[in-house]
């Protein structure tokens, strides 16, 4: 969605979340290194902003759904953690967490001096998971499958926790 390509086709295989310096040098030709550095900065900054905006939107949606569900549902359904409203709130909470992690992966990516394929792979997979979660939240209430959404949310939560604990190598452990 950021690169305006169909994400299902390219699937975050490195074409969207990774800045391709070789491609930039080919396109820019004899342009100065400063212009390529600016392109690299804008690649990361645009994605940071997109995830920040996505996070804000998901937060607004969370508050809207929460307020709406409190007004409409009876007390018994509100306590049922597997009700559509509660599962949707849970999915939105996870989507907010994903967007937060992703936006900061672009900050980390900007300051990495060398490509880290493991990092880029994890980032790409999280992009894919995040879009799947986002799709779940965009479904109408009738189309929303609580079981599928809850399973996806739990899997993504585990994946996000693994990314948060990812140790890239010894160079990044030193502070």
């Amino acid at each position: 969605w950021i690169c305006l390509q169909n994400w299902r086709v390219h699937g975050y295989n490195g074409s969207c979340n990774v800045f391709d310096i070789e491609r930039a040098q080919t396109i820019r030709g004899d342009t100065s290194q400063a212009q390529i550095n600016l392109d690299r900065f804008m690649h990361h900054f645009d994605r940071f902003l997109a995830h920040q905006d996505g996070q804000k939107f998901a937060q607004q949606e969370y508050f809207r759904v929460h307020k709406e569900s409190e007004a409409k549902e009876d007390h018994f359904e509100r306590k049922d953690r597997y009700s559509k409203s509660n599962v949707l709130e849970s999915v939105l909470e996870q989507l907010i967490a994903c967007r937060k992690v992703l936006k900061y992966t672009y900050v980390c990516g900007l300051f990495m001096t060398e490509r880290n394929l493991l990092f880029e792979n994890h980032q790409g997979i999280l992009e894919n998971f995040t879009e799947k979660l986002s799709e779940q939240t965009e479904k109408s209430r009738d189309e929303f499958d609580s079981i599928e959404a809850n399973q996806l949310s739990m899997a993504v939560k585990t994946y996000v926790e693994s990314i948060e604990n990812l140790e890239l190598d010894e160079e990044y452990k030193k502070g």
Side-chain angles (χ1 to χ4, degrees), residues 46-174:
D46 287 344
R47 282 152 181 79
F48 174 89
L49 288 179
H51 286 295
Q52 181 172 285
D53 290 345
Q55 181 183 356
K56 286 178 186 175
F57 180 79
Q59 287 169 328
Q60 292 169 348
E61 190 66 9
Y62 172 83
F63 291 122
R64 185 191 66 76
V65 167
H66 183 73
K67 186 176 181 180
E68 188 178 281
S69 67
E70 281 186 337
K72 289 184 179 178
E73 294 180 357
D74 61 33
H75 182 70
F76 178 75
E77 187 173 338
R78 193 71 196 131
K79 288 191 172 217
D80 177 12
R81 59 184 276 217
Y82 294 109
S83 71
K84 285 189 176 188
S85 296
N86 287 339
V87 171
L88 181 56
E89 286 179 29
S90 173
V91 170
L92 284 164
E93 287 173 348
Q94 189 56 54
L95 181 59
I96 292 165
C98 287
R99 297 275 185 213
K100 183 178 181 180
V101 169
L102 274 171
K103 75 180 182 181
Y104 288 111
T105 65
Y106 285 102
V107 173
C108 292
L110 177 63
F111 289 101
M112 287 183 176
T113 55
E114 295 178 17
R115 279 188 76 177
N116 187 307
L117 297 177
L118 176 63
F119 176 82
E120 291 170 358
N121 184 46
H122 281 285
Q123 183 185 52
I125 291 169
L126 184 57
E127 288 271 8
N128 196 344
F129 276 145
T130 301
E131 290 310 310
K132 287 180 181 179
L133 275 179
S134 186
E135 280 181 0
Q136 289 290 324
T137 66
E138 294 168 4
K139 292 180 178 179
S140 70
R141 191 122 21 184
D142 294 335
E143 294 175 348
F144 185 75
D145 182 346
S146 299
I147 296 170
E148 179 184 345
N150 192 49
Q151 288 174 340
L152 177 62
S153 182
M154 296 306 290
V156 173
K157 181 178 183 175
T158 302
Y159 193 78
V160 168
E161 288 169 355
S162 75
I163 286 182
E164 291 173 335
N165 296 320
L166 181 65
E167 294 180 8
L168 299 173
D169 64 32
E170 291 299 318
E171 177 182 336
Y172 295 103
K173 286 183 188 178
K174 299 174 186 171

